[in-house]
Amino acid sequence: MDVSGIFPALTTPYREDGFVALDHFKANLARYNKTRLAGYVVLGSTGESVLLSAAEADSLLVAGKEAAAPGKLLIAGTGAESTAETIARTKRAAALGYDVALVKTPYYYKPAYKAETYLRHYRAVADSSPIPILLYSVPIFTGITLEIPEIVALAQHPNIIGIKDSSGAIQRVVEVAAQAHKEFRILTGSAGVLHPALVSSAKGAILALASALPEKCVELFELFQSGQHAAAQTRQQHLALASKAIVSEGGIAGLKYAMDLRGYQGGLPRLPLLPVADAKKAHIAQVVSQFEPATARA
Amino acid sequence: MDVSGIFPALTTPYREDGFVALDHFKANLARYNKTRLAGYVVLGSTGESVLLSAAEADSLLVAGKEAAAPGKLLIAGTGAESTAETIARTKRAAALGYDVALVKTPYYYKPAYKAETYLRHYRAVADSSPIPILLYSVPIFTGITLEIPEIVALAQHPNIIGIKDSSGAIQRVVEVAAQAHKEFRILTGSAGVLHPALVSSAKGAILALASALPEKCVELFELFQSGQHAAAQTRQQHLALASKAIVSEGGIAGLKYAMDLRGYQGGLPRLPLLPVADAKKAHIAQVVSQFEPATARA
Amino acid sequence: MDVSGIFPALTTPYREDGFVALDHFKANLARYNKTRLAGYVVLGSTGESVLLSAAEADSLLVAGKEAAAPGKLLIAGTGAESTAETIARTKRAAALGYDVALVKTPYYYKPAYKAETYLRHYRAVADSSPIPILLYSVPIFTGITLEIPEIVALAQHPNIIGIKDSSGAIQRVVEVAAQAHKEFRILTGSAGVLHPALVSSAKGAILALASALPEKCVELFELFQSGQHAAAQTRQQHLALASKAIVSEGGIAGLKYAMDLRGYQGGLPRLPLLPVADAKKAHIAQVVSQFEPATARA
Amino acid sequence: MDVSGIFPALTTPYREDGFVALDHFKANLARYNKTRLAGYVVLGSTGESVLLSAAEADSLLVAGKEAAAPGKLLIAGTGAESTAETIARTKRAAALGYDVALVKTPYYYKPAYKAETYLRHYRAVADSSPIPILLYSVPIFTGITLEIPEIVALAQHPNIIGIKDSSGAIQRVVEVAAQAHKEFRILTGSAGVLHPALVSSAKGAILALASALPEKCVELFELFQSGQHAAAQTRQQHLALASKAIVSEGGIAGLKYAMDLRGYQGGLPRLPLLPVADAKKAHIAQVVSQFEPATARA
């Protein structure tokens, strides 16, 4: 299975009455299908998965499967706090035709969670899952960093094929690559360090930014693949500033606003997430305008 | 409404097949009913609420209402990540006869959550809730501290009657008491600082430890009420060490083990929470043995 | 030795040309001598000790000894990063007639400093010191918290008589008091939790705030001593807000400004510490005005 | 001035009686002179600068100047907590013939230090310094991260020529390079991310590891320069694991032990730094043995 290249962490559009807008979700996928994105992540952190009901989450998985073009790898976010619920969600994603499950660390009972907790949790999930597992460490949201010894140990499980590391810590990429087997896939979750991550043997990335600027992220990946490091360095700097303004400072609301500006179905996030403030809107608009003229709003 | 005194954060017992054991849950309440506990918190962090399905959570609310003796105040944990889901859970708890809703801070999208986020979230919940709201700040699990200016601002809402602060920071108790109106109820979530919190104008506490040592926690509260500060100081030291061994170091698994030792229905936590290691068991047993002889196992 | 009561952490006044103003330093002491302060701390964090040359530090120790009234206990801050230098400074303070040395934790090489490091450091200093040692844990500046097992172990050394804990964590006071011998003296460094600390068996406090509001801090201590807990609670709230505005938000510059307002020799701090911004000045002035009319400037 | 390539952060050897061993220090330099190291950093964090007396520090600066081969760039660590003392040390280093001053952030009064503090501090130092200034951000020791807006603002000062960033955060390298002028030199302080830092436009590195493995670090730099990214990736992984074992886990004591194994004058660190534990020694020896046979001890 070729888990490499650029995957957008898909956003969840809502209708004006607050319900999930599956038609808008599919409309975005229809446009992404025309790019060289490697596939899609449904129900990631960027998809507001923790703000969705179980039924809404399921409907998005179904819609994602329906709308994705053949050849696009489908990754479902299935991590829940409980091991049993994570297994249930993972099996459901597999049944719906997803290729890979992205499983974030449990994180609520931090003081009680030790290395052993994560080893047992992930092994239980991987043992039960019909599809391969990607570990997912996203300390900015969870407060939990999956540490290198655990990653290296879990890499030995035949059904754990890689990790999405959203810490931005390139040293972790280097050290995991040095210690895990060669087929273990490291994906970065930080657009601001995509090029250095690739240079350090990451295979690709799952990026919020790729929901707004998919072709720009793909182009950086391809510059790396063709060994054009100087051009890649420049493009990386450009994307890092864009990612900072749109994703780091704007959050999901900022990302959706940037999507609106580029003709995708962005819209507002769900409460308690607030809309982007006007000052941030202006900054995001200025950043987005530096890229090619926005596609006409669908 | 008299939200003062000691409230145990109730644990959730499981059957051997992993399902919630409502009969064991009720058996615990039957014993707690005979103490001077002021009431109960159902679906708190200690209740493994984030590991339960919606149906399980609902069944515990129903069972709690059925089993609680008249006069015991009933508090339901209803905080979810989304504002709408929090409101729905709060209304359900009210419909089931709960007196107060305990609403923890949303916490997943930390970088995007600002003071304004919490003000709007809590006001929306309080506006919609048929029952009074207790704010709930529990940084050890959520990574989020509800800060003093927000607490003081929210204290002005007529349907927000207090806060459970599990940070253990007594300075926050002092400063909130200095700035909020006199009826705003501060409850500590830390057994290790119960006496200093009360001295600083807290009205009581919601304590995991009170599920294992209810009468000991109540006695400390009553020593304070009767002005016996020297005896309270000694008892506080005793409870602080017990709380550290049982709750801080043992976690929910340790608390349940201590409950087992004292004749309650403790049992094992749900995965990914692991059972207590044997070394910790010995330490917890030693700590528990310093209190009166354990009641015979029911 | 009676290390109890309220000790101000003395500030260091400078002349307009930037040199240390020993006359102003002594003038402050002359006024403090008339209060019921238990003694003085020279060269604490509040004294800008890390911004002073060795000669300046020595001159302040000499001046402090000269200016302090008989019966005022003299505590010298002598902690340096190196063990040898700490010992040298401690011996010098003893030779100058200081009663106690206050020794902050080494902190620069944090990743290398383990419990063993602190045990060996403090034991070496205590073994060599002609005067008793107070441990000093001040994580807000050092990033290092002296943990309870180390404190309890070090309390067994005959020449280590107590600790100044500036963390504000009352649970640590409770737990240390529960485990160390009865004569081990815990002093808090946080004016915002003075009363709860005393209730939890602290013997007193070393406070920056006491350089600006000495009699107010002493009065709170005496309210506690005489068992007037309700009055103490109110006074505590008042001092907590004052401490927050003057010390926590104002820093040393804010404290010196408050001293100026109350007729002491405050002045400006040394660079890189900046003067208080005007907005903060107004807030500090408003806070100070709530206490009795400021003494006429000497 | 060509501030690029690899610079070891030199260690400070001690005699058995605890005094600084200038002859050993010079002996190390004599061997380093034969490598393609770009120059030397004297009195960095690795040099135990915070554990040295003023006289010792001065003697090391003198010895470094005497022992360094022509063409080796000389960088002196001159950062002190006070602005005035930093300026004095910087002038002294310039007078002794040092080419560049490396100025770490003040860090003790963290709560009081704002962006403005650092802007004013560094501008005052740069204005007064006869030699160019390198900013130095080393959060692992200081708890302070020099943030990107401040770095970019300070880069405009004609006498501030670059930064040593020891955070290991490659995104900061990318963002600073994107926003500062082209001549602003970014040096990483983390051997574990040397290659990704260079790929992201860092000009070189100041490395503790280069005191034990100078030629290995230089070779990685040269692999990058000649565009051999695959070989660089492999070497980077090797060095990352070595750096982790020797520097991150071993600290200065571990680094000195590795130096001993490779025939340099390492020795023991000064207290409170403790010698390496035996278990760590074995691990370090195993790591060092993976590189070429150690040079015979001089």
Side-chain angles (χ1 to χ4, degrees):
Chain A
M1 185 174 299
D2 186 25
V3 186
S4 68
I6 304 300
F7 300 81
L10 297 179
T11 59
T12 297
Y14 301 103
R15 307 192 321 196
E16 294 211 351
D17 60 8
F19 288 97
V20 170
L22 293 177
D23 53 339
H24 286 181
F25 180 73
K26 288 184 173 182
N28 286 340
L29 279 166
R31 288 189 52 197
Y32 296 143
N33 281 336
K34 298 173 188 162
T35 68
R36 293 189 299 282
L37 289 168
Y40 307 115
V41 171
V42 183
L43 301 180
S45 299
T46 303
E48 298 174 58
S49 53
V50 298
L51 301 177
L52 300 173
S53 71
E56 289 173 328
D58 207 69
S59 71
L60 283 159
L61 287 180
V62 170
K65 176 62 180 173
E66 288 174 359
K72 300 296 189 187
L73 196 88
L74 281 172
I75 304 175
T78 64
E81 194 68 27
S82 99
T83 304
E85 174 67 12
T86 302
I87 291 171
R89 292 186 189 181
T90 302
K91 287 183 172 174
R92 173 65 180 161
L96 289 174
Y98 278 71
D99 300 298
V100 173
L102 177 67
V103 180
K104 74 180 164 216
T105 55
Y107 54 93
Y108 192 73
Y109 298 110
K110 292 174 183 59
Y113 291 168
K114 313 295 182 194
E116 182 67 14
T117 308
Y118 292 109
L119 293 178
R120 291 176 64 165
H121 175 76
Y122 278 113
R123 285 170 181 157
V125 174
D127 285 347
S128 301
S129 172
I131 52 176
I133 299 296
L134 277 176
L135 310 173
Y136 180 19
S137 178
V138 56
I140 199 170
F141 294 141
T142 63
I144 292 292
T145 298
L146 204 55
E147 298 293 353
I148 294 171
E150 288 81 87
I151 299 170
V152 172
L154 289 169
Q156 297 173 350
H157 192 291
N159 207 25
I160 298 177
I161 60 167
I163 184 170
K164 174 187 178 188
D165 185 330
S166 292
S167 71
I170 295 299
Q171 184 150 346
R172 185 170 295 114
V173 176
V174 172
E175 291 186 24
V176 170
Q179 296 178 76
H181 62 83
K182 292 299 165 204
E183 297 307 308
F184 190 72
R185 295 155 187 89
I186 305 171
L187 304 178
T188 183
S190 300
V193 290
L194 174 54
H195 182 223
L198 295 169
V199 165
S200 303
S201 84
K203 295 288 180 293
I206 297 174
L207 301 176
L209 189 69
S211 283
L213 295 168
E215 63 278 32
K216 301 301 163 193
C217 298
V218 170
E219 285 166 20
L220 174 50
F221 180 74
E222 294 173 347
L223 286 172
F224 163 76
Q225 282 193 307
S226 57
Q228 300 179 65
H229 288 289
Q233 190 186 89
T234 303
R235 170 60 59 90
Q236 175 64 84
Q237 291 181 9
H238 205 174
L239 284 186
L241 297 187
S243 182
K244 186 172 200 170
I246 296 171
V247 178
S248 304
E249 295 173 4
I252 291 173
L255 175 64
K256 286 181 159 183
Y257 180 66
M259 289 173 69
D260 284 337
L261 292 174
R262 299 197 85 239
Y264 297 100
Q265 299 292 345
L268 297 177
R270 186 168 271 185
L271 289 172
L273 289 171
L274 299 177
V276 203
D278 285 345
K280 275 191 185 168
K281 275 191 179 176
H283 183 43
I284 289 171
Q286 185 264 329
V287 166
V288 167
S289 71
Q290 294 166 10
F291 294 92
E292 74 218 9
T295 310
R297 185 70 177 271
Chain B
M1 184 175 298
D2 186 25
V3 187
S4 69
I6 303 300
F7 299 80
L10 297 178
T11 59
T12 297
Y14 301 103
R15 306 192 320 195
E16 294 210 352
D17 60 10
F19 287 98
V20 170
L22 293 177
D23 53 339
H24 286 182
F25 180 73
K26 289 183 171 182
N28 286 340
L29 278 167
R31 289 190 53 197
Y32 296 142
N33 281 337
K34 299 172 188 163
T35 67
R36 293 189 299 282
L37 288 168
Y40 307 116
V41 172
V42 183
L43 300 181
S45 298
T46 303
E48 299 173 57
S49 52
V50 297
L51 301 176
L52 301 173
S53 71
E56 289 172 328
D58 207 70
S59 72
L60 284 159
L61 287 180
V62 170
K65 176 64 181 172
E66 288 173 0
K72 299 296 189 188
L73 195 88
L74 282 173
I75 303 175
T78 63
E81 194 68 27
S82 98
T83 305
E85 174 68 12
T86 302
I87 291 172
R89 291 186 190 181
T90 302
K91 287 183 173 174
R92 174 65 179 161
L96 289 173
Y98 279 70
D99 300 298
V100 174
L102 177 67
V103 180
K104 74 181 162 213
T105 55
Y107 53 93
Y108 193 72
Y109 297 111
K110 292 174 183 60
Y113 290 168
K114 313 296 183 194
E116 183 66 15
T117 309
Y118 292 109
L119 294 179
R120 290 176 66 164
H121 175 76
Y122 278 113
R123 285 171 181 158
V125 174
D127 285 347
S128 302
S129 173
I131 53 176
I133 298 298
L134 277 176
L135 310 174
Y136 180 19
S137 179
V138 57
I140 198 170
F141 294 142
T142 64
I144 292 290
T145 298
L146 203 55
E147 297 294 351
I148 294 171
E150 287 81 87
I151 300 170
V152 172
L154 289 169
Q156 297 174 349
H157 192 291
N159 207 25
I160 298 177
I161 60 167
I163 183 168
K164 175 188 178 187
D165 186 331
S166 290
S167 71
I170 295 299
Q171 185 151 344
R172 185 170 296 114
V173 176
V174 173
E175 292 187 22
V176 170
Q179 296 179 76
H181 63 82
K182 291 299 164 203
E183 297 307 308
F184 190 72
R185 296 155 185 88
I186 304 171
L187 304 177
T188 182
S190 300
V193 291
L194 174 55
H195 183 224
L198 294 170
V199 165
S200 305
S201 83
K203 294 287 180 292
I206 297 174
L207 300 176
L209 189 70
S211 284
L213 294 168
E215 62 278 31
K216 301 302 163 192
C217 297
V218 169
E219 286 166 21
L220 174 50
F221 179 75
E222 294 172 346
L223 286 172
F224 163 76
Q225 283 193 306
S226 58
Q228 300 179 65
H229 289 288
Q233 190 185 89
T234 303
R235 170 60 59 89
Q236 175 63 84
Q237 290 180 9
H238 205 174
L239 283 186
L241 298 186
S243 183
K244 185 172 200 170
I246 296 171
V247 178
S248 303
E249 296 172 4
I252 292 172
L255 174 64
K256 287 182 158 183
Y257 181 67
M259 289 173 69
D260 284 338
L261 293 174
R262 299 197 86 239
Y264 296 101
Q265 300 293 344
L268 296 178
R270 186 169 271 184
L271 288 172
L273 288 171
L274 300 177
V276 203
D278 285 345
K280 276 191 184 169
K281 275 191 177 176
H283 183 43
I284 290 171
Q286 186 263 329
V287 166
V288 167
S289 72
Q290 294 166 12
F291 295 92
E292 74 217 10
T295 310
R297 184 70 176 269
Chain C
M1 182 174 300
D2 186 25
V3 186
S4 69
I6 304 300
F7 299 81
L10 298 178
T11 59
T12 297
Y14 301 103
R15 307 192 319 195
E16 294 212 351
D17 61 8
F19 287 98
V20 171
L22 293 177
D23 53 340
H24 286 181
F25 180 73
K26 288 183 173 182
N28 286 339
L29 279 166
R31 289 190 52 197
Y32 297 142
N33 281 336
K34 299 172 187 162
T35 68
R36 294 189 298 281
L37 289 168
Y40 308 116
V41 172
V42 183
L43 300 180
S45 300
T46 303
E48 299 175 53
S49 53
V50 297
L51 301 176
L52 301 172
S53 72
E56 289 173 327
D58 208 70
S59 72
L60 283 159
L61 286 180
V62 170
K65 176 64 181 172
E66 288 174 359
K72 300 295 189 190
L73 196 88
L74 281 172
I75 304 176
T78 63
E81 193 68 27
S82 100
T83 304
E85 173 68 10
T86 302
I87 291 172
R89 292 185 189 182
T90 302
K91 287 183 172 172
R92 174 64 179 160
L96 289 173
Y98 279 71
D99 301 298
V100 174
L102 177 66
V103 180
K104 74 180 164 214
T105 54
Y107 54 92
Y108 192 73
Y109 297 112
K110 292 173 184 61
Y113 291 167
K114 313 296 184 195
E116 183 67 13
T117 309
Y118 292 108
L119 294 178
R120 291 176 66 165
H121 175 76
Y122 278 113
R123 285 171 180 157
V125 174
D127 285 347
S128 302
S129 172
I131 53 176
I133 298 297
L134 276 177
L135 310 173
Y136 180 19
S137 178
V138 57
I140 199 170
F141 293 142
T142 63
I144 292 291
T145 299
L146 203 56
E147 298 293 354
I148 293 171
E150 287 81 87
I151 299 170
V152 172
L154 290 169
Q156 297 174 349
H157 193 291
N159 208 24
I160 297 177
I161 61 167
I163 184 170
K164 175 186 177 189
D165 186 329
S166 291
S167 71
I170 295 299
Q171 185 150 345
R172 185 170 295 113
V173 176
V174 172
E175 292 186 23
V176 170
Q179 297 179 76
H181 62 83
K182 293 297 165 204
E183 298 306 308
F184 190 72
R185 295 155 188 88
I186 305 170
L187 304 177
T188 182
S190 301
V193 291
L194 175 53
H195 182 225
L198 294 169
V199 165
S200 304
S201 84
K203 294 289 182 291
I206 296 174
L207 301 175
L209 189 69
S211 283
L213 295 167
E215 62 279 30
K216 301 301 163 193
C217 297
V218 168
E219 285 166 21
L220 173 51
F221 179 74
E222 294 172 346
L223 286 172
F224 162 76
Q225 282 193 306
S226 58
Q228 300 179 65
H229 289 289
Q233 191 186 89
T234 302
R235 171 61 59 90
Q236 175 63 84
Q237 291 180 10
H238 206 173
L239 283 185
L241 297 186
S243 182
K244 184 171 201 171
I246 296 170
V247 179
S248 303
E249 295 172 4
I252 292 173
L255 175 64
K256 287 182 159 183
Y257 180 67
M259 290 173 68
D260 284 336
L261 292 174
R262 299 198 84 240
Y264 296 99
Q265 299 292 347
L268 296 177
R270 185 169 273 186
L271 289 172
L273 289 171
L274 299 178
V276 204
D278 285 345
K280 275 191 185 170
K281 276 191 178 176
H283 183 43
I284 290 171
Q286 186 264 331
V287 166
V288 167
S289 71
Q290 295 166 9
F291 294 92
E292 75 219 9
T295 311
R297 185 70 176 270
Chain D
M1 184 175 297
D2 186 26
V3 186
S4 68
I6 304 300
F7 299 81
L10 298 178
T11 60
T12 298
Y14 302 103
R15 307 191 321 195
E16 294 211 351
D17 60 9
F19 288 98
V20 171
L22 293 177
D23 52 339
H24 285 181
F25 180 73
K26 289 183 172 182
N28 286 340
L29 278 166
R31 288 191 52 197
Y32 296 143
N33 282 336
K34 299 173 188 161
T35 67
R36 293 189 298 282
L37 288 167
Y40 307 116
V41 172
V42 183
L43 300 181
S45 299
T46 303
E48 298 175 56
S49 53
V50 297
L51 301 176
L52 301 173
S53 72
E56 289 173 327
D58 208 69
S59 72
L60 283 158
L61 287 179
V62 170
K65 176 64 181 172
E66 288 174 359
K72 300 294 190 189
L73 195 88
L74 281 173
I75 304 175
T78 63
E81 194 68 26
S82 99
T83 304
E85 174 67 11
T86 302
I87 290 171
R89 291 187 190 180
T90 302
K91 287 182 173 173
R92 174 64 179 161
L96 289 173
Y98 279 71
D99 301 298
V100 174
L102 177 67
V103 180
K104 74 180 164 214
T105 54
Y107 54 93
Y108 192 71
Y109 297 112
K110 292 174 183 60
Y113 291 168
K114 313 297 183 194
E116 182 66 14
T117 308
Y118 291 109
L119 294 179
R120 291 176 66 164
H121 175 76
Y122 277 113
R123 286 171 180 158
V125 174
D127 285 346
S128 301
S129 173
I131 53 176
I133 298 298
L134 276 177
L135 310 174
Y136 180 18
S137 179
V138 57
I140 199 170
F141 293 142
T142 62
I144 292 291
T145 298
L146 203 55
E147 298 293 353
I148 293 170
E150 287 80 88
I151 299 170
V152 172
L154 289 168
Q156 296 174 349
H157 192 291
N159 208 25
I160 298 177
I161 60 167
I163 183 169
K164 174 187 178 189
D165 185 330
S166 291
S167 70
I170 294 300
Q171 185 150 347
R172 185 171 295 112
V173 176
V174 172
E175 291 186 24
V176 170
Q179 296 180 77
H181 63 82
K182 293 298 164 204
E183 297 307 307
F184 190 72
R185 295 156 187 89
I186 304 170
L187 304 177
T188 182
S190 301
V193 291
L194 175 53
H195 182 226
L198 294 169
V199 165
S200 304
S201 83
K203 295 288 182 291
I206 297 174
L207 301 175
L209 189 69
S211 283
L213 294 167
E215 62 279 31
K216 301 301 163 192
C217 298
V218 169
E219 285 166 20
L220 174 51
F221 179 76
E222 294 172 346
L223 286 171
F224 163 77
Q225 282 193 306
S226 58
Q228 300 179 65
H229 289 289
Q233 189 185 89
T234 303
R235 171 60 59 91
Q236 175 63 84
Q237 290 180 10
H238 206 174
L239 283 186
L241 297 186
S243 183
K244 184 171 201 172
I246 296 170
V247 178
S248 304
E249 295 172 3
I252 291 172
L255 174 65
K256 286 181 159 182
Y257 180 67
M259 290 172 68
D260 284 337
L261 292 174
R262 299 197 85 238
Y264 296 100
Q265 299 292 346
L268 296 178
R270 185 168 272 185
L271 289 171
L273 289 171
L274 300 177
V276 205
D278 285 344
K280 275 191 185 169
K281 275 191 178 177
H283 182 43
I284 290 171
Q286 185 263 329
V287 165
V288 166
S289 72
Q290 295 166 11
F291 294 91
E292 75 218 9
T295 311
R297 184 71 176 267

